[in-house]
Amino acid sequence: MSDLRTAVVYYSATGSVHAMAQAAARAAEEAGSEVRLRKVRELAPDEAIASNEGWATHARQTQDLPEASLDDLEWADLLIFGAPTRFGMPAAQLKQFIDTTGPLWGAGKLVDKVATSFTSAATAHGGQETTITALNNTFYHWGCVIVPPGYADPIQFQAGNPYGSSHVSDNGQTPPGQVELDAVSFQARRAVRLARALKAGLASA
């Protein structure tokens, strides 16, 4: 059994964030962590989903993936959150899940967890950084230790976002490329390494 547990919690409409979440989950597993990959519940009405072919296709493809629960957050040492940006903020589906975490927050059960986040936007300046920093605001309230990718690996000089991995999807028409997937994989590996060190340090304190 692994000495570290990671929850990758995400929302994705047309699949870009899902692909990045899968890459993060694989990288965390390869770094020796036990991983739960969880989507959050869809809030959009069926007619809205059906009106967008990419959205409807992705919903069908991921319909059997487990939905995130508060137990997943309490279980994990490391939290990796991903969401597309909506007007510079995380998509409402992930925000709604975050808004259910009050009982864990009130009991101090999210304190000292390591957290990191990633995103995707339709355009090159569509709110990637503000979405990631908005997610980080939640982590501050929870008492988490936030781990950004920074420029701590050569891939980051190609990916270019030190706050967290991001992707330009062209409204879901362009899937994440190798640079984006490598960047989020590095981010996950770095977070696992630092979460493991923090856990060991707290255990010996």
Side-chain angles (χ1 to χ4, degrees):
M1 182 175 291
S2 171
D3 63 333
L4 195 82
R5 297 178 294 196
T6 299
V8 181
V9 178
Y10 78 96
Y11 172 72
S12 187
T14 57
S16 294
V17 173
H18 173 69
M20 296 174 76
Q22 287 182 307
R26 283 193 299 270
E29 285 182 338
E30 290 167 359
S33 178
E34 185 178 353
V35 175
R36 291 182 184 178
L37 177 63
R38 299 289 189 264
K39 67 180 182 181
V40 297
R41 182 168 299 174
E42 180 61 81
L43 303 177
D46 291 341
E47 55 268 27
I49 298 171
S51 70
N52 182 311
E53 182 179 352
W55 196 354
T57 298
H58 182 67
R60 287 193 301 271
Q61 291 172 340
T62 58
Q63 61 185 337
D64 296 327
L65 192 69
E67 289 187 351
S69 69
L70 296 186
D71 175 69
D72 296 316
L73 302 189
E74 186 173 359
W75 168 86
D77 304 300
L78 166 60
L79 307 174
I80 301 177
F81 275 26
T85 180
R86 296 288 186 266
F87 301 112
M89 297 180 289
Q93 289 85 345
L94 184 62
K95 181 60 167 62
Q96 192 277 335
F97 174 71
I98 288 171
D99 287 348
T100 70
T101 63
L104 292 182
W105 167 79
K109 296 194 175 192
L110 300 172
V111 172
D112 290 341
K113 294 182 184 292
V114 168
T116 194
S117 57
F118 62 92
T119 191
S120 177
T123 60
H125 300 286
Q128 288 96 327
E129 288 88 351
T130 56
T131 296
I132 290 168
T133 54
L135 285 169
N136 288 354
N137 285 337
T138 295
F139 301 149
Y140 293 132
H141 282 261
W142 287 354
C144 295
V145 177
I146 299 170
V147 174
Y151 291 102
D153 185 89
I155 189 63
Q156 286 303 105
F157 292 93
Q158 298 179 61
N161 192 333
Y163 305 96
S165 301
S166 62
H167 166 60
V168 178
S169 72
D170 189 24
N171 288 314
Q173 299 303 304
T174 304
Q178 199 58 52
V179 168
E180 291 83 3
L181 297 178
D182 286 349
V184 77
S185 296
F186 162 70
Q187 183 176 346
R189 289 193 303 271
R190 182 169 196 253
V192 166
R193 177 171 59 83
L194 294 175
R196 181 174 286 124
L198 177 63
K199 186 175 182 181
L202 291 173
S204 62

